[in-house]
Amino acid sequence: MNARAPLPPPGPPAAQPAALLAALAQLGQRARACTDVQALGFVMVNDSHGLATYRQAALWLQEPGEREGRITALSGLAVPDPHAPFNHWLAQLLARHAASPAGATPGPLPKPETGEDAARWAEYLPAHAWWLPLPLGEASAGLLLLREEAWPAQETTVLALAADLYAHAWRALRHAAHAAPGRGWRQLWPQKPSRKLALAAVAALGLLLWPMRQSVMAPAEVVARAPEAVRAPLQGVVDRIEVMPNQTVRKGQLLVALDARELEGRIESARQTLAVAEAELRRGQQQALFDARSKSDLALLQGKRDQAATDVDYYAQALARTQLHAERDGVALFDDPADWIGKPVALGERIMMVADPHDAELEMQLPVADAIALPAQAQVRLFLNTAPASPISASVLRVSYRASPTADGTLAYRVRARLNEGAHTDEALRVGLKGTAKLYGERTVLALYLLRRPLATVRIWLGF
């Protein structure tokens, strides 16, 4: 903040006592016309120029409990910055002077001769300063006037009178500000309430007791009611995805193909083993025609041949299971094919789901903080993000008995709802759509509906 802010043009020198008294009377009128202490402070640092010429003026105030006070008004400025370095230094200087015995009476402010205060005084302030303490009671305050010339007795006398005038006006404004709240509460309710006021109170009470249904909003998603999970029948790697997300599929259509190169190698090895076992079995049968001792080896050779045939059948069936086909008509539900291609899957891992697009339900995540008592088959209205102006009705089927974490880290109850008759035939309603659902609970009065969450918070804090 600029410590050398310009002042209004200086007034004429108040050399005659009559002129000084007239200026003092006008200054008293301006002080009494102020509506708050901020306006009075502005008058003190700027309009006092009519009593004595000065270059700068500052108003210092120290409330009870403050360490060094603050500068609340500066000449030439509307609102001073209390954190400016100049204002902070000046407040410290005036606090030390006010605490000294000389600070209780009007008089010159001693100019520091050495140290940092002397350097700052020489940089910011003129040579002569006059201190005017303001008796305010509990608070301490003072008006500082500065200029290059010395202060004559005639001017300092009238300035002391002005200081008493300012202190009286300040005490009156502070008393009015403190007394206004105490008087205002009586004015809020008249001694004799009018008929209109009584009717308004009855109407407000009736409105608070108005019965209404509890309701709560929760994020919702359209999900398949009974989807068929397409799971990996064996451990392997996904080679390719033959369908796209939300694509309509038919029963028997190829959906996913796993990498079959390892199984093809194993089945080829098993076939070679089977061929060798069959050749050994035929040779043993031919030898048994001429050698009775060879008949005892036929059972062993037959067992090897059967084991090799079983291995071929097993690997053939496993190779067939690498082709995953749809077992029902519907739509394929999964995210991105690129996320699955080349990904290793474990036995039983779900890759996608096939569901009937017209056999859908509603799943909602009801936050724990907003949970209300939901009766059986509670009414639900779904507002889809794609069509918020066309709500869809549903009925609650079940509510999870405990809350579980959601994607955003909060706890919520999972609520399932059945779409009412006619909603599932809507072509715009498909699995995967999201929106906001409004769940309706039991009836209550408006006052409890509005104060439900505040009362719950108070109950937690008070522990009852």
Side-chain angles (χ1 to χ4, degrees):
M1 175 176 292
N2 188 1
R4 303 180 184 274
L7 278 173
Q16 301 297 328
L20 289 176
L21 292 177
L24 182 62
Q26 293 178 358
L27 193 59
Q29 292 180 348
R30 296 194 192 101
R32 287 191 296 272
C34 295
T35 58
D36 53 31
V37 293
Q38 184 177 1
L40 179 61
F42 185 84
V43 170
M44 293 167 65
V45 297
N46 292 283
D47 294 354
S48 299
H49 205 267
L51 301 179
T53 57
Y54 53 84
R55 198 182 81 182
Q56 289 176 272
L59 178 61
W60 172 79
L61 174 64
Q62 185 180 23
E63 297 285 356
E66 290 185 344
R67 183 177 179 181
E68 57 192 26
R70 63 188 185 278
I71 301 299
T72 61
L74 280 175
S75 56
L77 294 177
V79 179
D81 184 6
H83 304 290
F86 169 76
N87 295 339
H88 185 65
W89 167 76
L90 185 59
Q92 291 180 337
L93 182 66
L94 296 181
R96 291 194 297 269
H97 181 70
S100 65
T105 57
L109 181 67
K111 180 180 179 181
E113 299 296 337
T114 59
E116 183 180 356
D117 290 342
R120 292 197 174 185
W121 186 296
E123 180 181 359
Y124 295 121
L125 303 180
H128 298 278
W130 192 259
W131 170 254
L132 295 172
L134 302 176
L136 300 181
E138 296 181 356
S140 300
L143 179 64
L144 181 67
L145 306 177
L146 303 110
R147 67 182 186 184
E148 285 78 4
E149 301 83 8
W151 296 91
Q154 186 176 6
E155 292 182 349
T156 57
T157 301
V158 73
L159 287 176
L161 296 176
D164 291 337
L165 186 150
Y166 290 148
H168 182 270
W170 196 323
R171 290 194 300 269
L173 290 174
R174 288 168 65 93
H175 177 73
H178 289 300
R183 297 193 304 266
W185 73 269
R186 298 180 180 270
Q187 300 174 359
L188 295 178
W189 187 264
Q191 297 296 329
K192 294 183 179 180
S194 63
R195 185 177 180 181
K196 293 183 178 180
L197 185 59
L199 292 176
V202 173
L205 181 59
L207 182 61
L208 291 177
L209 297 178
W210 187 267
M212 63 175 302
R213 295 184 64 181
Q214 298 186 72
S215 61
V216 66
M217 309 292 285
E221 181 181 2
V222 180
V223 297
R225 187 186 65 84
E228 175 200 344
V230 179
R231 303 180 182 274
L234 46 85
Q235 185 176 358
V237 177
V238 177
D239 186 26
R240 63 185 184 275
I241 303 293
E242 297 292 342
V243 294
M244 299 300 294
N246 294 328
Q247 178 181 334
T248 301
V249 298
R250 298 297 179 184
K251 182 177 181 180
Q253 181 177 346
L254 179 61
L255 302 177
V256 182
L258 301 181
D259 190 356
R261 287 174 291 183
E262 181 179 357
L263 289 175
E264 290 175 351
R266 291 184 179 182
I267 195 174
E268 183 63 27
S269 177
R271 286 172 179 172
Q272 294 294 335
T273 303
L274 176 60
V276 171
E278 289 179 344
E280 291 180 349
L281 177 60
R282 287 194 300 269
R283 186 183 62 181
Q285 290 174 347
Q286 292 175 0
Q287 289 180 354
L289 295 176
F290 305 102
D291 187 1
R293 291 179 299 178
S294 300
K295 291 182 179 181
S296 59
D297 297 333
L298 289 178
L300 178 61
L301 296 175
Q302 182 68 34
K304 290 183 178 180
R305 186 266 177 195
D306 293 343
Q307 182 179 359
T310 301
D311 291 342
V312 171
D313 292 340
Y314 171 78
Y315 289 123
Q317 294 176 8
L319 185 62
R321 289 200 301 270
T322 60
Q323 307 292 314
L324 280 67
H325 298 81
E327 298 184 4
R328 58 176 293 183
D329 296 341
V331 294
L333 303 179
F334 65 105
D335 293 331
D336 189 358
D339 296 339
W340 288 101
I341 297 177
K343 178 182 178 181
V345 290
L347 176 63
E349 183 175 354
R350 188 179 67 184
I351 301 175
M352 66 176 66
M353 293 190 300
V354 177
D356 185 355
H358 300 297
D359 188 12
E361 288 183 347
L362 190 61
E363 183 174 283
M364 294 152 285
Q365 301 288 340
L366 180 59
V368 173
D370 297 332
I372 60 175
L374 297 175
Q377 297 184 351
Q379 182 182 355
V380 179
R381 298 187 70 189
L382 171 64
F383 300 88
L384 290 174
N385 295 335
T386 57
S390 302
I392 300 173
S393 60
S395 301
V396 172
L397 288 175
R398 60 184 181 274
V399 181
S400 62
Y401 75 97
R402 67 177 180 181
S404 57
T406 60
D408 56 0
T410 60
L411 292 176
Y413 295 98
R414 297 182 62 182
V415 182
R416 278 292 185 112
R418 178 183 61 252
L419 299 174
N420 290 342
E421 191 68 26
H424 63 280
T425 59
D426 191 352
E427 295 297 334
L429 186 65
R430 64 173 179 83
V431 175
L433 292 180
K434 294 186 177 183
T436 302
K438 187 173 185 179
L439 295 87
Y440 294 90
E442 299 177 348
R443 290 190 175 274
T444 184
V445 295
L446 179 61
L448 292 179
Y449 178 79
L450 297 177
L451 299 177
R452 179 176 61 87
R453 297 194 67 175
L455 289 176
T457 304
V458 171
R459 184 174 182 179
I460 292 174
W461 281 99
L462 297 181
F464 67 88

